[in-house]
Amino acid sequence: MTTAVYPGSFDPLTRGHVSIIRSGLVVFERIIVAVLRNPRKDPLFSVEERVQMIREEFGDTDRVEVDFFDGLLVDYCRKRKVRVVLRGLRAVADFEYELQMANMNRHLEPSIETVFIMANDAYFYVSSNLVKEAARLGGDVSRLVPDSVARRLREKLRA
Ligand code: PNS
């Protein structure tokens, strides 16, 4: 049974992330969505809120677990005894960063492999940062994020 860790900031979860996870479930038996708790990045949503939003989206399947981590991704994978990291690839701009990260992770722990899944073309240019920026400026991002995320974004930005 192959389990993959799908790490990220998920601030917030987008439909691009959701489509990567759903595609990942075609390949992997289980996916652990691992939310990076990174205070330095000054996220819009707390780690608890980010975890909760992902759970709301995948509550119907026990093949998706949502967790959070601090520190090195490879340490988290070792702790969870998982040897596959799943990442999504969007436009070419992602490639260099993802290559660097995969190589760094391989350097740190050669037994862990990174597997990439191409993002659905409908969400090729969707990123959490652009979603936040557009939402902050009053743009309608409701088709780019799950409904519960759109609601929470509205609440958060109203506050
Ligand atoms: O969604 P993001 O922000 O592109 O995800 C990046 C993430 C969380 C996968 C990456 O920053 C990460 O793994 N951070 C943990 C620290 C680490 O292991 N760094 C060394 C590998 S570059």
Side-chain angles (χ1 to χ4, degrees):
M1 186 169 108
T2 312
T3 299
V5 165
Y6 179 46
S9 305
F10 304 106
D11 185 39
L13 181 76
T14 68
R15 290 199 185 185
H17 296 129
V18 172
S19 100
I20 297 291
I21 296 168
R22 294 209 188 281
S23 299
L25 288 173
V26 175
V27 183
F28 302 107
E29 203 64 42
R30 286 185 66 241
I31 294 179
I32 301 172
V33 183
V35 180
L36 177 67
R37 178 164 63 184
N38 187 352
R40 273 183 305 141
K41 266 196 167 178
D42 194 19
L44 178 64
F45 291 98
S46 69
V47 69
E48 291 80 11
E49 288 171 319
R50 287 179 274 152
V51 165
Q52 184 60 33
M53 286 187 277
I54 305 169
R55 287 206 177 121
E56 279 166 15
E57 184 64 21
F58 291 97
D60 55 340
T61 170
D62 55 8
R63 292 173 61 204
V64 176
E65 177 188 333
V66 190
D67 193 8
F68 63 89
F69 75 106
D70 291 297
L72 284 178
L73 175 62
V74 292
D75 286 339
Y76 177 75
C77 292
R78 283 189 197 115
K79 189 179 89 178
R80 298 301 311 263
K81 298 187 170 32
V82 173
R83 291 177 52 189
V84 180
V85 170
L86 170 65
R87 290 285 289 171
L89 267 187
R90 296 167 303 185
V92 185
D94 279 350
F95 186 79
E96 202 163 329
Y97 170 60
E98 293 297 334
L99 187 68
Q100 283 177 3
M101 224 162 40
N103 278 327
M104 176 56 84
N105 286 333
R106 178 174 279 156
H107 170 78
L108 296 170
E109 178 49 74
S111 74
I112 293 177
E113 290 296 336
T114 303
V115 170
F116 295 99
I117 286 184
M118 298 299 292
N120 181 319
D121 57 2
Y123 305 118
F124 221 65
Y125 296 100
V126 178
S127 74
S128 300
N129 284 338
L130 286 185
V131 161
K132 280 184 288 191
E133 183 174 327
R136 277 196 184 106
L137 297 171
D140 176 9
V141 294
S142 56
R143 276 173 299 144
L144 305 179
V145 294
D147 293 345
S148 74
V149 174
R151 182 175 43 77
R152 281 168 188 259
L153 259 176
R154 280 194 299 271
E155 287 166 9
K156 183 72 82 176
L157 295 172
R158 241 197 331 254

